[in-house]
Amino acid sequence: MISAIDPGGRNTKYFDSRLPKPVMFPSAIGINDLDRNLKSSGEFDFEWEYEGLTGFAGSLALRESEYVESRKDESKAHFDAKLRSLIALHQYGSGNEHQILVGQPIDTHTETEKQAIKKMYIGSHDLTVNGKRKVIVIKNCEVGPEGAASGLLVAPAVGTIRIIDIGSGSVNFATITDRQFINKSSFTLPEGMESKSKLDPRSFGRQIAARAIARKWDKNDTVYVTGGGANEVLPFIQQLFPMAVLLDPDPFTTNVRGLLMIARRVYGG
Ligand SMILES: Nc1ncnc2c1ncn2[C@@H]1O[C@H](COP(=O)(O)OP(=O)(O)OP(=O)(O)O)[C@@H](O)[C@H]1O
Ligand SMILES: [Mg+2]
Protein backbone atom coordinates (compact mmCIF):
# COMPACT_ATOMS: atom_id res chain seq x y z
CA MET A 1 0.00 0.00 0.00
CA ILE A 2 1.26 3.47 -0.96
CA SER A 3 0.56 6.24 1.52
CA ALA A 4 1.60 9.70 2.69
CA ILE A 5 2.08 10.76 6.31
CA ASP A 6 2.67 14.25 7.73
CA PRO A 7 3.48 13.68 11.42
CA GLY A 8 3.21 17.35 12.44
CA GLY A 9 4.06 18.84 15.82
CA ARG A 10 0.36 19.40 16.56
CA ASN A 11 -1.60 17.23 14.11
CA THR A 12 -0.76 14.00 12.30
CA LYS A 13 -2.23 13.65 8.81
CA TYR A 14 -2.55 10.39 6.87
CA PHE A 15 -3.69 9.86 3.27
CA ASP A 16 -3.84 7.11 0.67
CA SER A 17 -5.74 6.75 -2.59
CA ARG A 18 -8.50 4.54 -1.09
CA LEU A 19 -9.67 7.34 1.20
CA PRO A 20 -12.04 10.13 0.13
CA LYS A 21 -10.04 12.63 2.17
CA PRO A 22 -7.06 12.70 4.58
CA VAL A 23 -7.43 11.70 8.24
CA MET A 24 -6.10 14.05 10.92
CA PHE A 25 -5.61 13.34 14.64
CA PRO A 26 -3.78 15.10 17.52
CA SER A 27 -0.03 14.27 17.63
CA ALA A 28 0.04 14.24 21.46
CA ILE A 29 1.80 11.29 23.12
CA GLY A 30 2.04 10.27 26.76
CA ILE A 31 4.35 7.44 27.83
CA ASN A 32 3.74 4.93 30.61
CA ASP A 33 0.34 6.16 31.64
CA LEU A 34 -1.69 4.13 34.09
CA ASP A 35 -4.40 1.78 32.91
CA ARG A 36 -7.66 3.41 32.02
CA ASN A 37 -10.58 2.52 34.23
CA LEU A 38 -13.15 3.97 31.92
CA LYS A 39 -13.03 2.69 28.37
CA SER A 40 -14.03 5.69 26.32
CA SER A 41 -14.33 5.39 22.59
CA GLY A 42 -13.39 8.75 21.12
CA GLU A 43 -12.47 8.47 17.45
CA PHE A 44 -8.84 9.47 18.08
CA ASP A 45 -8.36 7.81 21.49
CA PHE A 46 -5.34 5.54 21.23
CA GLU A 47 -3.73 3.29 23.86
CA TRP A 48 -0.46 1.90 22.48
CA GLU A 49 2.28 -0.65 23.21
CA TYR A 50 5.51 -0.44 21.23
CA GLU A 51 9.17 -1.38 21.81
CA GLY A 52 8.49 -2.29 25.44
CA LEU A 53 6.77 1.03 26.19
CA THR A 54 3.10 1.79 26.74
CA GLY A 55 1.09 5.00 26.75
CA PHE A 56 -1.73 7.07 25.35
CA ALA A 57 -1.86 9.03 22.10
CA GLY A 58 -4.24 11.30 20.21
CA SER A 59 -7.21 12.83 21.98
CA LEU A 60 -6.86 10.31 24.84
CA ALA A 61 -3.35 11.63 25.58
CA LEU A 62 -4.63 15.22 25.55
CA ARG A 63 -7.36 14.31 28.01
CA GLU A 64 -5.80 11.76 30.32
CA SER A 65 -1.99 11.70 30.16
CA GLU A 66 -0.13 13.12 33.10
CA TYR A 67 3.02 13.68 31.03
CA VAL A 68 1.54 14.52 27.64
CA GLU A 69 3.68 16.27 25.04
CA SER A 70 3.65 16.91 21.29
CA ARG A 71 7.29 17.27 20.31
CA LYS A 72 7.85 20.23 17.99
CA ASP A 73 11.41 19.77 16.74
CA GLU A 74 13.19 21.15 13.73
CA SER A 75 13.63 17.60 12.43
CA LYS A 76 11.15 14.72 12.51
CA ALA A 77 13.81 12.01 12.95
CA HIS A 78 12.63 11.09 16.47
CA PHE A 79 10.62 8.47 18.36
CA ASP A 80 7.43 10.55 18.71
CA ALA A 81 7.17 11.23 14.97
CA LYS A 82 7.77 7.53 14.29
CA LEU A 83 5.06 6.49 16.72
CA ARG A 84 2.56 9.01 15.28
CA SER A 85 3.20 7.63 11.78
CA LEU A 86 2.96 4.00 12.90
CA ILE A 87 -0.33 4.67 14.71
CA ALA A 88 -1.63 6.26 11.48
CA LEU A 89 -0.62 3.17 9.46
CA HIS A 90 -2.07 0.82 12.11
CA GLN A 91 -5.42 2.61 12.25
CA TYR A 92 -5.94 3.90 8.72
CA GLY A 93 -3.57 1.95 6.44
CA SER A 94 -4.55 -1.13 4.51
CA GLY A 95 -2.62 -4.44 4.44
CA ASN A 96 0.64 -5.10 6.25
CA GLU A 97 3.22 -3.90 3.74
CA HIS A 98 3.72 -0.22 3.13
CA GLN A 99 5.61 2.21 0.90
CA ILE A 100 5.47 5.61 2.57
CA LEU A 101 6.29 9.25 1.88
CA VAL A 102 6.78 11.36 5.02
CA GLY A 103 7.14 15.13 5.45
CA GLN A 104 10.16 16.96 6.89
CA PRO A 105 10.80 20.73 7.36
CA ILE A 106 12.75 22.29 4.47
CA ASP A 107 15.89 23.28 6.46
CA THR A 108 16.33 19.73 7.77
CA HIS A 109 15.41 18.12 4.45
CA THR A 110 19.09 17.17 4.09
CA GLU A 111 20.73 13.91 3.03
CA THR A 112 21.83 13.09 6.61
CA GLU A 113 18.38 13.67 8.12
CA LYS A 114 16.65 11.85 5.28
CA GLN A 115 18.88 8.80 5.81
CA ALA A 116 18.14 8.90 9.57
CA ILE A 117 14.39 9.00 8.87
CA LYS A 118 14.51 6.15 6.36
CA LYS A 119 16.55 4.04 8.79
CA MET A 120 14.00 4.77 11.52
CA TYR A 121 11.01 3.63 9.43
CA ILE A 122 12.21 0.87 7.07
CA GLY A 123 11.72 -2.59 8.58
CA SER A 124 9.09 -4.24 10.67
CA HIS A 125 7.28 -2.72 13.67
CA ASP A 126 5.26 -4.68 16.21
CA LEU A 127 2.60 -2.23 17.44
CA THR A 128 -0.54 -2.75 19.49
CA VAL A 129 -3.23 -0.04 19.44
CA ASN A 130 -6.37 -0.35 21.57
CA GLY A 131 -5.64 -4.05 22.15
CA LYS A 132 -5.12 -4.92 18.49
CA ARG A 133 -1.63 -6.14 17.58
CA LYS A 134 -0.24 -5.62 14.08
CA VAL A 135 3.15 -6.19 12.52
CA ILE A 136 3.61 -3.23 10.19
CA VAL A 137 6.21 -3.77 7.48
CA ILE A 138 7.62 -0.64 5.83
CA LYS A 139 9.37 -1.68 2.64
CA ASN A 140 10.21 1.76 1.30
CA CYS A 141 10.34 5.24 2.78
CA GLU A 142 11.01 8.54 1.05
CA VAL A 143 11.07 12.02 2.58
CA GLY A 144 9.44 15.13 1.05
CA PRO A 145 9.83 18.84 1.92
CA GLU A 146 6.91 20.39 3.85
CA GLY A 147 5.46 23.51 2.23
CA ALA A 148 6.81 22.55 -1.19
CA ALA A 149 4.59 19.43 -1.07
CA SER A 150 1.55 21.70 -0.59
CA GLY A 151 2.66 23.76 -3.58
CA LEU A 152 2.17 20.79 -5.90
CA LEU A 153 -1.60 21.22 -5.48
CA VAL A 154 -1.49 24.62 -7.21
CA ALA A 155 1.83 24.93 -9.11
CA PRO A 156 1.47 25.78 -12.81
CA ALA A 157 3.53 23.90 -15.43
CA VAL A 158 5.44 27.13 -16.13
CA GLY A 159 6.25 29.94 -13.73
CA THR A 160 7.25 30.58 -10.12
CA ILE A 161 5.08 30.39 -7.00
CA ARG A 162 5.89 30.84 -3.32
CA ILE A 163 4.34 28.86 -0.44
CA ILE A 164 4.24 29.71 3.26
CA ASP A 165 3.22 26.74 5.46
CA ILE A 166 2.43 27.93 9.01
CA GLY A 167 2.55 24.97 11.41
CA SER A 168 2.56 24.57 15.16
CA GLY A 169 6.36 24.56 15.59
CA SER A 170 7.73 25.83 12.30
CA VAL A 171 6.99 27.90 9.21
CA ASN A 172 8.19 26.55 5.86
CA PHE A 173 8.89 28.94 2.98
CA ALA A 174 9.04 27.19 -0.39
CA THR A 175 9.70 28.31 -3.94
CA ILE A 176 8.55 26.22 -6.90
CA THR A 177 9.51 27.07 -10.49
CA ASP A 178 8.06 25.07 -13.38
CA ARG A 179 6.81 22.52 -10.78
CA GLN A 180 10.39 22.01 -9.51
CA PHE A 181 11.36 22.70 -5.88
CA ILE A 182 14.03 25.46 -5.71
CA ASN A 183 16.12 24.74 -2.64
CA LYS A 184 18.12 27.97 -2.58
CA SER A 185 15.07 30.20 -2.16
CA SER A 186 13.32 27.88 0.30
CA PHE A 187 13.90 27.79 4.05
CA THR A 188 12.35 27.26 7.50
CA LEU A 189 11.63 29.58 10.42
CA PRO A 190 11.95 27.26 13.43
CA GLU A 191 9.00 28.85 15.25
CA GLY A 192 5.31 28.27 14.77
CA MET A 193 1.84 29.00 16.16
CA GLU A 194 2.68 27.30 19.48
CA SER A 195 6.25 28.57 19.99
CA LYS A 196 5.32 31.92 21.54
CA SER A 197 4.09 32.35 25.11
CA LYS A 198 1.10 34.28 23.77
CA LEU A 199 0.75 34.35 20.02
CA ASP A 200 0.00 37.71 18.43
CA PRO A 201 -1.06 36.91 14.83
CA ARG A 202 -0.32 40.45 13.63
CA SER A 203 3.27 40.44 14.89
CA PHE A 204 3.81 36.87 13.74
CA GLY A 205 2.49 37.71 10.26
CA ARG A 206 4.85 40.67 10.08
CA GLN A 207 7.79 38.50 11.23
CA ILE A 208 6.99 35.86 8.61
CA ALA A 209 6.66 38.39 5.79
CA ALA A 210 9.87 40.16 6.84
CA ARG A 211 11.78 36.84 6.67
CA ALA A 212 10.56 36.29 3.13
CA ILE A 213 11.57 39.79 2.09
CA ALA A 214 15.02 39.29 3.65
CA ARG A 215 15.40 36.24 1.42
CA LYS A 216 14.60 38.36 -1.65
CA TRP A 217 11.01 37.31 -2.22
CA ASP A 218 9.32 40.15 -4.15
CA LYS A 219 6.23 41.84 -2.74
CA ASN A 220 4.39 41.16 -6.02
CA ASP A 221 5.15 37.41 -5.98
CA THR A 222 2.26 34.96 -6.04
CA VAL A 223 2.26 33.67 -2.47
CA TYR A 224 0.07 30.77 -1.28
CA VAL A 225 -0.41 30.50 2.47
CA THR A 226 -1.27 27.17 4.12
CA GLY A 227 -0.88 25.16 7.37
CA GLY A 228 -3.11 25.34 10.45
CA GLY A 229 -2.06 28.94 11.17
CA ALA A 230 -2.95 30.20 7.67
CA ASN A 231 -6.39 31.68 8.33
CA GLU A 232 -5.30 33.58 11.42
CA VAL A 233 -2.06 35.01 10.02
CA LEU A 234 -2.89 35.57 6.31
CA PRO A 235 -4.40 39.08 6.72
CA PHE A 236 -1.14 40.31 8.26
CA ILE A 237 1.05 38.69 5.60
CA GLN A 238 -1.11 40.46 3.00
CA GLN A 239 0.01 43.80 4.44
CA LEU A 240 3.49 43.14 2.97
CA PHE A 241 2.51 40.68 0.21
CA PRO A 242 -0.76 42.00 -1.26
CA MET A 243 -0.98 39.05 -3.68
CA ALA A 244 -0.95 36.45 -0.86
CA VAL A 245 -3.95 34.07 -0.82
CA LEU A 246 -5.07 30.97 1.05
CA LEU A 247 -3.75 27.91 -0.82
CA ASP A 248 -6.79 25.74 -0.11
CA PRO A 249 -9.95 25.83 2.04
CA ASP A 250 -8.49 22.97 4.16
CA PRO A 251 -5.02 24.30 5.03
CA PHE A 252 -4.18 21.48 7.49
CA THR A 253 -3.96 18.70 4.91
CA THR A 254 -2.32 20.35 1.89
CA ASN A 255 1.11 18.86 2.71
CA VAL A 256 -0.17 15.30 3.04
CA ARG A 257 -2.15 15.61 -0.21
CA GLY A 258 0.97 16.88 -2.01
CA LEU A 259 3.08 14.13 -0.41
CA LEU A 260 0.68 11.52 -1.79
CA MET A 261 1.16 12.99 -5.29
CA ILE A 262 4.93 12.55 -4.83
CA ALA A 263 4.43 9.02 -3.44
CA ARG A 264 2.43 7.94 -6.47
CA ARG A 265 5.10 9.32 -8.78
CA VAL A 266 7.99 7.73 -6.85
CA TYR A 267 6.36 4.32 -6.28
CA GLY A 268 4.31 4.27 -9.48
CA GLY A 269 0.96 3.73 -7.72
N1 LIG B 1 -8.99 22.79 15.32
C1 LIG B 1 -7.68 22.94 15.40
N2 LIG B 1 -6.93 21.91 15.87
C2 LIG B 1 -5.61 22.05 15.94
N3 LIG B 1 -4.92 23.15 15.59
C3 LIG B 1 -5.61 24.21 15.15
C4 LIG B 1 -7.02 24.16 15.03
N4 LIG B 1 -7.43 25.35 14.53
C5 LIG B 1 -6.35 26.10 14.34
N5 LIG B 1 -5.24 25.45 14.73
C6 LIG B 1 -3.89 26.00 14.61
O1 LIG B 1 -3.18 25.18 13.71
C7 LIG B 1 -1.89 24.86 14.24
C8 LIG B 1 -1.46 23.50 13.76
O2 LIG B 1 -1.31 23.55 12.37
P1 LIG B 1 -0.73 22.33 11.56
O3 LIG B 1 -1.57 21.11 11.73
O4 LIG B 1 -0.49 22.80 10.16
O5 LIG B 1 0.67 22.12 12.33
P2 LIG B 1 1.62 20.86 12.31
O6 LIG B 1 1.77 20.41 10.89
O7 LIG B 1 1.11 19.84 13.26
O8 LIG B 1 2.97 21.47 12.87
P3 LIG B 1 4.44 21.53 12.22
O9 LIG B 1 4.25 21.73 10.73
O10 LIG B 1 5.09 22.70 12.86
O11 LIG B 1 5.08 20.23 12.54
C9 LIG B 1 -2.07 24.91 15.74
O12 LIG B 1 -0.86 25.23 16.36
C10 LIG B 1 -3.13 26.02 15.92
O13 LIG B 1 -2.48 27.28 15.99
MG1 LIG C 1 3.02 20.97 9.32
Side-chain angles (χ1 to χ4, degrees), residues 6-13 24 27 71-73 76 84 105 146 165-172 191-194 199 226-230 232 251-253 255:
D6 177 13
R10 175 64 176 75
N11 300 300
T12 298
K13 300 88 171 176
M24 173 164 111
S27 293
R71 280 184 63 168
K72 295 174 186 65
D73 306 47
K76 283 168 179 147
R84 294 165 195 161
E146 293 169 14
D165 163 28
I166 307 174
S168 61
S170 60
V171 178
N172 289 289
E191 285 181 66
M193 297 294 284
E194 295 176 35
L199 182 90
T226 193
E232 233 177 307
F252 291 98
T253 63
N255 277 323

Side-chain angles (χ1 to χ4, degrees), residues 45-187:
D45 282 357
F46 306 125
E47 225 174 336
W48 55 268
E49 289 175 49
Y50 180 61
E51 293 185 337
L53 297 171
T54 59
F56 296 163
S59 35
L60 178 63
L62 289 175
R63 249 191 357 263
E64 299 277 4
S65 285
E66 300 217 41
Y67 303 102
V68 65
E69 248 332 311
S70 304
R71 280 184 63 168
K72 295 174 186 65
D73 306 47
E74 285 169 42
S75 169
K76 283 168 179 147
H78 56 67
F79 176 84
D80 285 29
K82 175 168 75 164
L83 184 57
R84 294 165 195 161
S85 297
L86 292 175
I87 290 173
L89 287 169
H90 184 291
Q91 294 296 102
Y92 308 108
S94 156
N96 292 332
E97 289 195 349
H98 301 275
Q99 304 197 86
I100 63 172
L101 212 315
V102 295
Q104 170 79 347
I106 288 170
D107 272 4
T108 49
H109 187 254
T110 59
E111 226 18 74
T112 318
E113 286 298 310
K114 285 201 279 191
Q115 288 310 327
I117 290 173
K118 288 184 188 193
K119 191 159 168 265
M120 170 172 102
Y121 283 113
I122 292 175
S124 103
H125 306 271
D126 190 335
L127 171 68
T128 300
V129 178
N130 296 342
K132 184 165 184 190
R133 182 178 166 210
K134 282 190 184 176
V135 177
I136 296 166
V137 179
I138 300 182
K139 297 190 73 171
N140 286 305
C141 171
E142 293 297 334
V143 184
E146 293 169 14
S150 293
L152 293 178
L153 304 182
V154 290
V158 178
T160 294
I161 60 163
R162 312 283 198 181
I163 299 100
I164 300 179
D165 163 28
I166 307 174
S168 61
S170 60
V171 178
N172 289 289
F173 298 73
T175 299
I176 296 184
T177 297
D178 303 345
R179 291 188 70 80
Q180 297 290 316
F181 173 54
I182 309 296
N183 196 54
K184 78 173 185 341
S185 37
S186 303
F187 52 98

Side-chain angles (χ1 to χ4, degrees), residues 218-237:
D218 189 273
K219 68 177 177 20
N220 293 314
D221 285 346
T222 308
V223 178
Y224 292 97
V225 181
T226 193
N231 277 307
E232 233 177 307
V233 180
L234 176 63
F236 308 108
I237 293 176

